[in-house]
Amino acid sequence: QLQASGGGLVQPGGSLRLSCAASSSISSRSVMGWYRQDTGKQRELVASMTFGGTTYYADSVKGRFSISRDSAKNTVYLQMNSLQPEDTAVYYCNAKYRNGRWYEYWGQGTQVTVSS
């Protein structure tokens, strides 16, 4: 249902853009988000965007990361700038919506490694 891509190895201060392609039936009604999980740590919400465009960012990424969505392509992006070693993690795309009950979907993780 969700296909994430765009991870890789980047030096501190560098940039990456993650992409998450979703089926139209999901993206048209969901809050789309990006989570990350580093080894031994809990998964944390990094950024999210409602279908109406309301965004949320974790304090640790404010001013550096930007979430956007291309409704025509059913794709959500996470532009990550000024990357730091502490941003190293597996990043997961997430979609959730409510239709009576909550529905939630996860993409496969994509590794982001920030290292010199």
mmCIF file of all heavy atoms in Angstrom, residues 47-48 54 67 112:
data_model
loop_
_atom_site.group_PDB
_atom_site.id
_atom_site.type_symbol
_atom_site.label_atom_id
_atom_site.label_comp_id
_atom_site.label_asym_id
_atom_site.label_seq_id
_atom_site.Cartn_x
_atom_site.Cartn_y
_atom_site.Cartn_z
ATOM 1 N N ALA A 47 7.408 13.922 11.201
ATOM 2 C CA ALA A 47 6.594 14.945 10.543
ATOM 3 C C ALA A 47 5.330 14.297 10.002
ATOM 4 O O ALA A 47 5.326 13.112 9.687
ATOM 5 C CB ALA A 47 7.359 15.613 9.404
ATOM 6 N N SER A 48 4.275 15.099 9.907
ATOM 7 C CA SER A 48 3.026 14.599 9.333
ATOM 8 C C SER A 48 2.292 15.727 8.644
ATOM 9 O O SER A 48 2.549 16.919 8.887
ATOM 10 C CB SER A 48 2.141 13.963 10.411
ATOM 11 O OG SER A 48 1.694 14.939 11.334
ATOM 12 N N THR A 54 -2.370 20.675 6.941
ATOM 13 C CA THR A 54 -1.824 21.003 8.261
ATOM 14 C C THR A 54 -0.629 20.112 8.560
ATOM 15 O O THR A 54 -0.699 18.900 8.387
ATOM 16 C CB THR A 54 -2.892 20.815 9.353
ATOM 17 O OG1 THR A 54 -4.007 21.658 9.057
ATOM 18 C CG2 THR A 54 -2.336 21.176 10.720
ATOM 19 N N ILE A 67 7.819 18.490 5.059
ATOM 20 C CA ILE A 67 6.953 17.460 4.490
ATOM 21 C C ILE A 67 6.027 18.096 3.466
ATOM 22 O O ILE A 67 5.555 19.225 3.660
ATOM 23 C CB ILE A 67 6.148 16.732 5.594
ATOM 24 C CG1 ILE A 67 5.404 15.529 5.017
ATOM 25 C CG2 ILE A 67 5.202 17.690 6.312
ATOM 26 C CD1 ILE A 67 4.794 14.633 6.101
ATOM 27 N N VAL A 112 18.480 5.829 6.569
ATOM 28 C CA VAL A 112 19.186 7.102 6.402
ATOM 29 C C VAL A 112 20.374 7.077 7.349
ATOM 30 O O VAL A 112 20.208 6.910 8.556
ATOM 31 C CB VAL A 112 18.275 8.304 6.715
ATOM 32 C CG1 VAL A 112 19.081 9.600 6.727
ATOM 33 C CG2 VAL A 112 17.142 8.391 5.698
#
